[in-house]
Amino acid sequence: MSLVYSCKELPNRIEGNRLEIDEKITSNKEIEDFISPYRDNVNKNLDSIISFAPETYSKTDGELNTAIGNLMADAVFSESNPIFNKRTGKNIDFVLLNHGGIRAIISQGNITTRTAYEVMPFENSVVVVALKGKQINELFTYLSKAKRAHPVSKQVELLLDEDFNIKKALVNGKKVSEDETYYVATNDYLYNGGDRMTFFHPNDSLYTLDYKIRNVLIDYFKKEDTINPKIDNRFTKLTAE
């Protein structure tokens, strides 16, 4: 049972009455008739088919990288980099997202606009942060200690030993140079310290793309008739022999 308070303003005071809302409350036909066309139109748009998934993808499918996480990070790169390049003349070096930000599976079968809303229900937007190589190394150390499948794009190759120590860390096939500037795409929640990702501060500069992660996914799905994400070697750990 829910409660609603009905208030009326008097000259010198406000009085409130408690109204109980339960299953006995009936809908108002006039209001329902007014809302129904808008609701039907929204549902029609959300249920429009924009791609196809040959399998079901879940964020629990892998230890340090997952197919769905790889898809999201790569989608952010492919959809955001042209925008960033057009505005700045620079390129994004790689993408970092967070494991907890994946809020639903992608089920086998048709992918709809609603799928994107389910996977990313938050209003998080893409930002690009200019970081020195020293902070990139801090980022990789964070990933090694977190021991979670935080999504990174395919420009990264991070290999840990069986004790989760960094054995190899490459960006675009090269070792990180501490004095070089790298452009890392992430979301505004992580940039502001979400999931204890404190390595984004201080930074050389911040670029806000005004591009929601959810819209990234929608645009990516529309371009891909059939998605084909895979677990790969971008973030892995050696196993004891």
Side-chain angles (χ1 to χ4, degrees):
M1 181 176 68
S2 301
L3 299 177
V4 169
Y5 291 86
S6 174
C7 300
K8 62 180 179 178
E9 187 173 352
L10 298 178
N12 296 313
R13 69 182 188 277
I14 295 176
E15 291 184 351
N17 296 313
R18 190 175 75 172
L19 304 177
E20 295 185 356
I21 297 179
D22 54 26
E23 66 277 359
K24 297 177 183 178
I25 297 293
T26 58
S27 62
N28 183 298
K29 186 177 185 305
E30 184 178 352
I31 294 175
E32 179 64 24
D33 289 344
F34 178 79
I35 293 175
S36 181
Y38 297 96
R39 182 174 58 228
D40 292 346
N41 187 59
V42 169
N43 285 329
K44 180 180 178 181
N45 290 333
L46 287 175
D47 292 331
S48 60
I49 298 171
I50 54 178
S51 189
F52 180 80
E55 302 175 32
T56 295
Y57 304 101
S58 166
K59 69 178 184 180
T60 61
D61 288 344
E63 181 181 9
L64 294 177
N65 79 89
T66 65
I68 190 172
N70 293 347
L71 178 147
M72 290 183 68
D74 290 345
V76 169
F77 182 88
S78 67
E79 301 305 309
S80 300
N81 192 54
I83 299 171
F84 181 66
N85 179 265
K86 185 175 181 180
R87 293 182 187 177
T88 67
K90 307 175 190 302
N91 288 306
I92 294 169
D93 285 291
F94 67 92
V95 175
L96 170 66
L97 302 175
N98 62 316
H99 183 259
I102 306 170
R103 306 303 289 186
I105 65 172
I106 296 177
S107 298
Q108 182 182 35
N110 290 330
I111 294 174
T112 65
T113 302
R114 190 185 299 276
T115 306
Y117 276 81
E118 292 170 345
V119 173
M120 176 47 66
F122 309 118
E123 297 300 305
N124 299 136
S125 296
V126 180
V127 298
V128 181
V129 193
L131 299 176
K132 290 298 186 186
K134 181 179 180 181
Q135 289 164 284
I136 300 299
N137 286 329
E138 291 174 7
L139 183 159
F140 288 152
T141 298
Y142 167 90
L143 291 175
S144 70
K145 292 179 186 264
K147 302 176 183 179
R148 299 188 75 192
H150 290 306
V152 292
S153 60
K154 60 186 176 183
Q155 293 74 28
V156 168
E157 184 179 354
L158 183 61
L159 175 64
L160 309 181
D161 66 20
E162 57 269 25
D163 297 317
F164 290 90
N165 300 306
I166 296 175
K167 186 175 180 64
K168 178 168 64 173
L170 304 177
V171 176
N172 293 311
K174 299 179 182 179
K175 291 183 179 180
V176 175
S177 171
E178 292 208 342
D179 295 326
E180 187 173 340
T181 298
Y182 295 82
Y183 297 94
V184 181
T186 187
N187 64 55
D188 47 2
Y189 167 72
L190 299 180
Y191 173 76
N192 289 312
D195 272 356
R196 300 181 181 178
M197 294 192 186
T198 59
F199 42 77
F200 289 116
H201 300 273
N203 55 72
D204 287 357
S205 51
L206 172 69
Y207 304 85
T208 302
L209 301 191
D210 297 317
Y211 197 8
K212 295 187 187 304
I213 303 290
R214 180 192 309 123
N215 292 337
V216 167
L217 292 177
I218 292 171
D219 290 343
Y220 179 82
F221 290 146
K222 286 180 177 179
K223 292 177 181 178
E224 299 291 330
D225 178 73
T226 300
I227 63 170
N228 189 33
K230 300 291 184 184
I231 296 173
D232 55 28
N233 66 344
R234 68 187 68 187
F235 186 16
T236 55
K237 180 177 75 71
L238 296 173
T239 55
E241 296 182 358

